[in-house]
Amino acid sequence: MILIKTQSEIDKMRRAGQQLAILFEKIKSLVVEGSNAYEVEKFVNSYMKEKGFIPTFKGYAGFPYATCISVNEEIVHGFPLKDKIFRNGDLVSIDMGLTLEGYIADAARTFIIGEATEEAKRLVEVTEKSFWLGIEQAVPGNRIGDIGYAIQTYVESFGFSIIKEYVGHGVGRKLHEDPQIPNYGKKGRGPLIREGMTFAVEPMVSMGDWRVKVLDDGWTAVTADGSLAAHYENSFVVTKDGPEVLTILN
């Protein structure tokens, strides 16, 4: 069942979303050459504790960290370890969730360390742009498949591949609510989109093949062919006028 949120619930999600957007701004100074993933994790834990926020990911299904930090061929669910040092040209994808007043904001960004190749920069740009094109379809009366179709069509027009193993989702009191929102699909298919629904759409895109393998840690997903990957996500609410993104600064 896809939950329709009340105005009070949306207001709480909006507050959570703004705090997560602020946190993404604060970690930018740490996502630089010579720093490492654990420094980001340590800051996020400290900041959330100080502010009274709950790090949504920590302990979720056994995941041991507040952040997912994935570098280069790592797609998602990467561990934020000290030996994951950021180097010039790296693509660093950071996925975070924040719970405030019982409601969750979920977002991801891919950062470029120093000077990347033109194709790597294009991968990051296309991944982000595909999100915005996808959620243009998140209007009352459309279908979930319309979102995935828009994302897939745009991404594949550049010769990149949509990661099919992982999908977007509803979000609210729980991190993963109905429905699942694939980053691929067919127009006019899937559940009906209605005002008051709250979603997290998160295209994950590979420069090469779409296939995935999971490392021995049981979490870190990497491209099977070792190609670069990028990830971009925001939480949003469907309004009568279209989507309102909750996890970017107003």
Side-chain angles (χ1 to χ4, degrees):
M1 181 178 67
I2 304 175
L3 300 174
I4 304 294
K5 304 302 192 297
T6 65
Q7 190 57 56
S8 173
E9 290 176 309
I10 292 166
D11 288 343
K12 289 175 182 177
M13 291 186 68
R14 186 179 291 114
R15 287 193 286 272
Q18 286 302 291
Q19 292 301 326
L20 186 57
I22 289 167
L23 182 51
F24 266 108
E25 288 298 312
K26 288 185 176 294
I27 66 171
K28 281 182 177 178
S29 62
L30 299 174
V31 191
V32 295
E33 187 173 2
S35 186
N36 65 71
Y38 179 73
E39 289 299 316
V40 179
E41 168 75 9
K42 184 169 67 172
F43 175 83
V44 167
N45 271 297
S46 175
Y47 181 84
M48 287 204 194
K49 184 176 182 180
E50 176 189 336
K51 297 292 184 180
F53 307 146
I54 295 171
T56 313
F57 291 2
K58 197 167 189 176
Y60 182 81
F63 189 78
Y65 301 103
T67 62
C68 298
I69 302 185
S70 308
V71 178
N72 294 333
E73 75 279 5
E74 297 176 346
I75 304 162
V76 71
H77 303 154
F79 283 4
L81 304 177
K82 287 182 180 178
D83 62 2
K84 194 173 283 187
I85 299 166
F86 306 145
R87 306 186 190 283
N88 184 57
D90 281 349
L91 301 187
V92 178
S93 297
I94 301 180
D95 191 1
M96 296 192 292
L98 180 155
T99 305
L100 175 63
E101 300 177 90
Y103 287 84
I104 292 166
D106 184 13
R109 305 284 185 265
T110 296
F111 299 87
I112 298 172
I113 306 299
E115 292 297 321
T117 66
E118 288 303 314
E119 192 173 15
K121 288 189 282 187
R122 187 177 304 111
L123 176 70
V124 174
E125 291 165 1
V126 167
T127 303
E128 180 173 348
K129 178 68 172 179
S130 75
F131 165 85
W132 294 102
L133 292 174
I135 72 163
E136 283 180 3
Q137 302 301 314
V139 297
N142 274 6
R143 299 274 178 178
I144 292 297
D146 297 327
I147 298 173
Y149 176 83
I151 292 170
Q152 181 180 19
T153 301
Y154 182 72
V155 166
E156 291 180 351
S157 74
F158 288 86
F160 299 142
S161 299
I162 287 290
I163 300 298
K164 297 181 172 66
E165 188 79 13
Y166 303 100
V167 299
H169 49 88
V171 65
R173 277 195 170 275
K174 295 181 179 179
L175 177 59
H176 294 115
E177 297 182 349
D178 288 335
Q180 290 194 346
I181 308 173
N183 298 304
Y184 57 92
K186 295 183 178 180
K187 287 183 179 179
R189 301 285 182 86
L192 185 69
I193 297 171
R194 296 171 58 194
E195 184 179 353
M197 291 179 173
T198 49
F199 300 145
V201 166
E202 49 180 325
M204 301 174 207
V205 180
S206 164
M207 193 180 286
D209 195 83
W210 61 269
R211 293 174 181 83
V212 170
K213 65 180 180 181
V214 176
L215 299 185
D216 290 343
D217 61 25
W219 282 98
T220 306
V222 302
T223 55
D225 63 357
S227 59
L228 291 176
H231 183 194
Y232 186 83
E233 175 186 21
N234 282 302
S235 302
F236 65 93
V237 57
V238 178
T239 77
K240 62 179 173 33
D241 301 315
E244 177 197 343
V245 177
L246 304 174
T247 47
I248 58 172
L249 289 175
N250 289 336

